[in-house]
Each structure stands twice: as C-alpha cells, then as structure tokens.
Amino acid sequence: MVFLPRTKVRVLLLLIALALSLDASQQLMAREDFTGFGWVPPVVDTVVGAASAFGEFAADGIAKLGDLTKGAVIPPFGSAGIDGLGGSVVDFIPGLPAPSPQFPKLLPEISPQTPFTPEGQDDPETPKPAALPNLNTGCDQLPIGAPDDCDPRKSYIVYALSCADEMRNEALTGTFTTQYQMDPDEICRDDDCGIIFWVVRLSEDEVAEVRAMPGVRDMALNGPTVSGGVPRPRGSTSVLRSEKRADEVIGEQSWHDLAFISTPPGAAIAGEYFSFANGGDGVEVYVVDSGAVATSPEFQGKITKWLYSNHVIKAKIDRDGHGTCVASKVAGHTYGVAKGTSLRICKVSDWIDSFLKGLELIRNDLKERSTASESVVGYTVIMISSIWYNDRGPNEEQLIRSLRELITTYQAVVVMAAGNIIDKGDPAVITPRTWPVAAYYEDLPIILVGAVGQTGLSGYYSKTGEDVAIFAPGSVRCADASGNDATENVGTSFAAAEVAGLVAYLLPIVPSLRKSDNIPLAVLNYLKSKASYARTPSSVRSIWNRLYPDQGPPLYGWVP
C-alpha cells in the first residue's frame, strides 16, 4: 500500500472535486438562468466548502474561485500549478486534460454591486446581464423553454377544448409537464375561465399523439412573429434605406417630430412642441413590446404596472431598446406626445405565443382593475408594434378573440404599426394577405398606423394601403436602451407610438369620445376627420393635436 503525503491528498481531493464539476458548471453557465440572473452556481459553493474542510492551504488555494463571484478571472493553469505549488493539473492527476484557458470566459461578468439572488427569485428592480432569444446563435443564447435550433422538436401552441374544463386541463398540464418537459410558466390562462393554451415542444410522432388527446381542441406551430411576411428583426428599425429621402434625415439639424404634431394647417413646422401639460391625464397606455428601462428619467412616475409574457427576462429592463423608444414616444417626459399619461409595460418576445399571452395578461389586468372599481372604459389604450400574418388558423383565431374582447368589453383603443418594408421583396401595400387583422375584420376598429416624413409624404419604408387609417412621423428622437440618453430611430412602430400618445392625450379633453357607445370607433373617426390633415395636396393625412400655437395660452386655439 502506498501512502501519499497529507498535502498531496488534499490537493488530489480538491482537483477531483473540480474535475467532476467542470462539465456541470459549463452546462449551467450556458443557461440564461445562470448567466442572466447573476447567481453563483452551486458547484462553486460546493468546492469552496470542500476547500474550507481541507484547512488553511486549501482555503488559500481556492481563493481565486471565490473571487469569481466578483467578476474575477482565473488565470490559466500552467507549469507553476495552483498557487505556485509546482506541477500542472496533468501532473497531479494523470489522464485528466487541463482546463482550457478560455474556461473563465464562460463565467458571467458580475460587478461587486450586483446583488445575488437564488434561481427563481430574480429581483425585477435590478437590471441583470442576460442573453436575448436569438434563433441563429444556439442554445447558449436562449432562455430555457424558448423554441430553438438546438432541439430537434418544434414548438407548438396547443389549445384547450374548453377553458372551463378545469379537471381535464390540469390533467393535460401534468402530462405535458412530465412527458414532454413543458415549462410550467408557458401556460396561458384566462382568469375568469381557465387554461386557454399550452406551449409544448413536440417531435413529429408526438404531434399526432397530442392532437388526439381528449381535451385538445386544436394546435398550431409556434414561431417568430413577422412584419409584412418576414421575421421582425430585433429592434425593427432595420428598414430599407436605399430610397431614403432628404425630408427624413434625422440628426442634430433634423426636423422636430413632435413639433410636426402640433403644427396647424397652413403653418410652418416650428422648433417646439405645444401641448397641454396634463394631456392624457388619467389614461393608461399598455405598451406591448420588448420592455422599458425603468430607471430612465423619461419614465419617472410613469410606469404603474409590469406584465411579463413568455420567453422574456422578468426584470424592469429592455435589452433590445425598441420598447423603450416606443414607450418614450407615447408618454415620456421629454419625447412623449401625452405628458400626463401613465404606462403599463407588457413585456413580450418576438414569438407568437408570447404575443398572444401578452394580450391575455392585459385582459386579465383590465378585469382586475374593473373589479377594483377603477375606471378603464374610455381611459385605456393598447399600443402594439409586432404584427404577423398566417394561414388564418387557430393562432389567428386566438388573436382575434383577444382583440375583440379588449375592444368590445373594455372599450380599449388598439393602435398598431402598419409594418416596415424591410427588403425589396416585401410587399409595400397592405392587403388581406399581408395584414389579416385590418383587412378581414371590419368589426374591429383597430387604428393601423403608417409613417410619414417632414413633408407629409408616406415614408420610404412604410407600408400603405386603404386599411392604413392614419399616418405620423416615423423618423424620431426617443429614449435609448441605456435609459440615460437619446437615440434616433426610424419605423412605423414609432409612428404608431405617437398616435397612441395622441389618442391618450385626446380622450380626457374630448368628452364626446368617452360618451360614445363604441369608443374605439369614435376615436378612429375623430383622428381621420379632425385630428389630422394632409400637409400638401399630394400627401397623406397625418396627425395633429388641434392646437394653434400662435394663438397663445391658455388654450392655444383649442376646440374639441
């Protein structure tokens, strides 16, 4: 029997613990719930604890691992061994490959000020570094449960036969969770009824199994939403730029997109925006987008509620920046149309199930507010950027069901972007094929918004057509993703945000709108007839807040 010196025994035990945990650590570090939420992987705690048991030498030897929680980087193991003891890892344990020098790069970069929170208990108040869903970068860039290219199964939205059949639906939930590894968070519920749909990954053989299950009404392939027939890129500001006109150039000397809105007929665009300081007071605008930077001065005292749908980081941040810009154009202190309006942020991803669940979250929130005797009818606007068309299957049926209830039951005014022309093969004119909601459902008075430049001509990137109800400036200055500065963006999403802001601005000061039996339709007609005009004989009707700045305070010529 060979006896090893006590020091070498300690080192050997330490390195065995490291070797056994290396693979598990790398897997954990590739997941968003590790890299995205700043918690220390259990393996580090285990090794640190084991090292403490080995005495003073082991504690010193593991000190650099402990420093990982503060963002430190382990130097590559070399001929000096660990803490200068001599010998490489291979010398200590024959046959064990040395860790790659790039191993430390897999660890999260965490500042000492970032509070650590256990898995499942992330702090929504604290911005955290995290990867965004991206189909082209692999599993390590996807939140757990998101559809991805690394899993051969496809994501499906499975619709319940009856949301009221609680017993059967709970049994299906158990089956999907245990047999198909469904994420329990990926269930859409109606608070009044019950489960509406589940999101489940299935192989081709499993699709037939699930479709035949009692209690399943229908199912449809899940996937990214699209704008005009192509997937909407992150931050849908990537529009066709080869035909850009001089009247749409933005920069230090650019035209003021807000000033455009307060410019009356016959007047030149001024350098200032005129509006009533309390415009939109009492109105809540739901912004369905990528989130917002809650710490931005633009939103101080503005955001009253956060709703989180599927495949999003449940924190009050916006890694994309699109939602922050949109929200700031609706009601931001500096860049917003309606300075007195409050915001409710509905954070969604670019996936159909996330968008559909987001609408249901809004519906549930409106129900709760109504039950609490809060006035929602006549004081609710919903701003939506993401759009898609499909084969008029169950996904579209669910979309229309949700929109119809929001519009008819709660009299919410729904504003949507018409979509950008992203490439030269993208249809420029809205048709039934490219925009089913506006073209097929005439009973839904949705305000579909296109974009214009300074002269009032439709934007080079904006979709048009008879179903586009109104236009607004699409080249804008807004809050950026950092929350502390301004940025310039181009797209119909930002034009729609300004229209949503104008609707919120008008609702409290035009009594006839709130008294209507069909508030969304009354608002749509008011925008088209009174709160817009064509800047030139050849241009489209663009929004106007009905003020005459040259007539001065207190009313600036205001006439409802």
Side-chain angles (χ1 to χ4, degrees):
M1 181 177 294
V2 177
F3 292 90
L4 297 174
R6 182 176 300 177
T7 299
K8 287 194 175 182
V9 169
R10 290 172 178 165
V11 173
L12 179 62
L13 290 173
L14 173 61
L15 291 174
I16 289 173
L18 284 170
L20 291 175
S21 60
L22 178 59
D23 183 63
S25 296
Q26 290 174 321
Q27 293 183 32
L28 280 170
M29 287 180 286
R31 292 170 46 178
E32 185 187 37
D33 54 359
F34 169 46
T35 60
F37 293 99
W39 60 277
V40 182
V43 63
V44 173
D45 289 275
T46 302
V47 174
V48 171
S52 300
F54 293 151
E56 183 179 354
F57 154 70
D60 292 339
I62 202 68
K64 290 185 175 60
L65 279 178
D67 288 343
L68 285 177
T69 61
K70 300 178 183 177
V73 176
I74 305 176
F77 292 112
S79 58
I82 300 176
D83 267 11
L85 292 175
S88 67
V89 174
V90 177
D91 292 330
F92 281 120
I93 305 178
L96 179 66
S100 166
Q102 295 184 353
F103 170 73
K105 296 182 181 179
L106 294 173
L107 294 169
E109 296 181 1
I110 305 171
S111 67
Q113 293 77 27
T114 302
F116 299 125
T117 52
E119 183 180 14
Q121 300 178 21
D122 71 271
D123 176 14
E125 297 291 343
T126 305
K128 304 170 182 65
L132 288 167
N134 187 328
L135 293 180
N136 300 316
T137 56
C139 296
D140 59 330
Q141 296 295 313
L142 289 158
I144 295 174
D148 64 75
D149 287 341
C150 306
D151 192 327
R153 299 173 299 170
K154 294 181 179 180
S155 178
Y156 286 85
I157 302 176
V158 182
Y159 291 93
L161 179 63
S162 170
C163 61
D165 194 340
E166 183 177 354
M167 184 176 296
R168 176 176 282 175
N169 290 342
E170 290 304 327
L172 283 170
T173 298
T175 299
F176 295 149
T177 303
T178 57
Q179 188 172 336
Y180 302 103
Q181 295 78 51
M182 179 190 72
D183 183 341
D185 287 339
E186 297 190 351
I187 300 175
C188 181
R189 298 177 185 268
D190 181 323
D191 284 353
D192 285 343
C193 185
I195 294 176
I196 298 174
F197 65 75
W198 304 265
V199 180
V200 190
R201 285 190 191 168
L202 302 168
S203 66
E204 292 184 8
D205 293 337
E206 291 169 337
V207 170
E209 292 177 8
V210 172
R211 193 181 293 276
M213 288 181 179
V216 172
R217 174 177 60 84
D218 207 341
M219 54 194 298
L221 195 63
N222 192 20
T225 61
V226 299
S227 176
V230 296
R232 181 173 83 87
R234 284 229 151 252
S236 59
T237 56
S238 299
V239 296
L240 184 65
R241 297 183 179 277
S242 60
E243 300 169 9
K244 193 166 186 175
R245 298 194 310 265
D247 68 331
E248 291 168 321
V249 173
I250 52 180
E252 290 302 319
Q253 304 300 318
S254 70
W255 61 290
H256 197 311
D257 55 281
L258 289 182
F260 179 95
I261 298 170
S262 64
T263 300
I269 297 176
E272 297 179 87
Y273 173 57
F274 292 84
S275 70
F276 296 125
N278 62 344
D281 188 27
V283 177
E284 298 265 0
V285 178
Y286 290 88
V287 178
V288 184
D289 215 295
S290 60
V293 180
T295 56
S296 172
E298 191 74 355
F299 304 124
Q300 292 306 301
K302 288 272 184 189
I303 302 176
T304 58
K305 185 71 176 283
W306 287 76
L307 303 171
Y308 299 104
S309 189
N310 294 347
H311 319 311
V312 300
I313 303 167
K314 294 182 179 179
K316 298 176 181 180
I317 59 175
D318 177 18
R319 291 292 299 275
D320 184 287
H322 189 274
T324 297
C325 181
V326 166
S328 72
K329 295 312 298 179
V330 173
H333 289 298
T334 303
Y335 307 107
V337 173
K339 309 295 186 185
T341 291
S342 297
L343 298 168
R344 297 175 92 84
I345 304 299
C346 181
K347 193 171 180 180
V348 300
S349 75
D350 286 348
W351 288 79
I352 293 174
D353 69 299
S354 185
F355 180 70
L356 292 177
K357 184 175 179 178
L359 294 183
E360 201 60 32
L361 291 173
I362 293 173
R363 182 257 176 213
N364 290 337
D365 189 53
L366 286 170
K367 171 68 176 178
E368 181 180 343
R369 292 170 59 198
S370 298
T371 303
S373 300
E374 183 179 346
S375 178
V376 297
V377 174
Y379 291 91
T380 301
V381 180
I382 300 173
M383 165 61 212
I384 300 173
S385 297
S386 297
I387 62 175
W388 83 85
Y389 71 84
N390 59 22
D391 58 359
R392 299 188 57 126
N395 288 343
E396 187 173 318
E397 292 173 9
Q398 174 61 27
L399 169 67
I400 299 306
R401 187 198 72 81
S402 295
L403 289 173
R404 181 168 282 118
E405 184 169 10
L406 291 170
I407 290 171
T408 58
T409 302
Y410 299 101
Q411 295 286 293
V413 181
V414 178
V415 180
M416 286 186 177
N420 302 326
I421 303 170
I422 299 176
D423 60 48
K424 291 194 174 184
D426 196 14
V429 178
I430 299 294
T431 66
R433 178 178 174 273
T434 58
W435 187 248
V437 173
Y440 288 143
Y441 304 96
E442 295 181 358
D443 63 317
L444 294 178
I446 296 169
I447 301 172
L448 193 61
V449 181
V452 294
Q454 181 179 9
T455 60
L457 296 174
S458 59
Y460 66 96
Y461 51 87
S462 175
K463 294 193 175 239
T464 59
E466 62 181 16
D467 288 305
V468 179
I470 203 75
F471 289 80
S475 301
V476 304
R477 184 165 290 148
C478 58
D480 72 349
S482 74
N484 299 314
D485 206 347
T487 188
E488 289 144 357
N489 277 326
V490 179
T492 57
S493 293
F494 315 116
E498 291 181 323
V499 172
L502 181 59
V503 170
Y505 176 89
L506 293 172
L507 281 171
I509 60 178
V510 183
S512 62
L513 297 178
R514 298 195 314 278
K515 293 177 181 178
S516 172
D517 293 334
N518 189 336
I519 294 174
L521 181 60
V523 169
L524 175 59
N525 290 334
Y526 188 89
L527 284 176
K528 294 171 72 173
S529 61
K530 294 186 176 182
S532 64
Y533 68 93
R535 266 52 178 183
T536 67
S538 59
S539 62
V540 293
R541 292 187 72 92
S542 304
I543 59 171
W544 168 45
N545 67 0
R546 295 186 59 76
L547 292 185
Y548 292 86
D550 61 336
Q551 296 190 23
L555 296 180
Y556 295 97
W558 167 254
V559 178

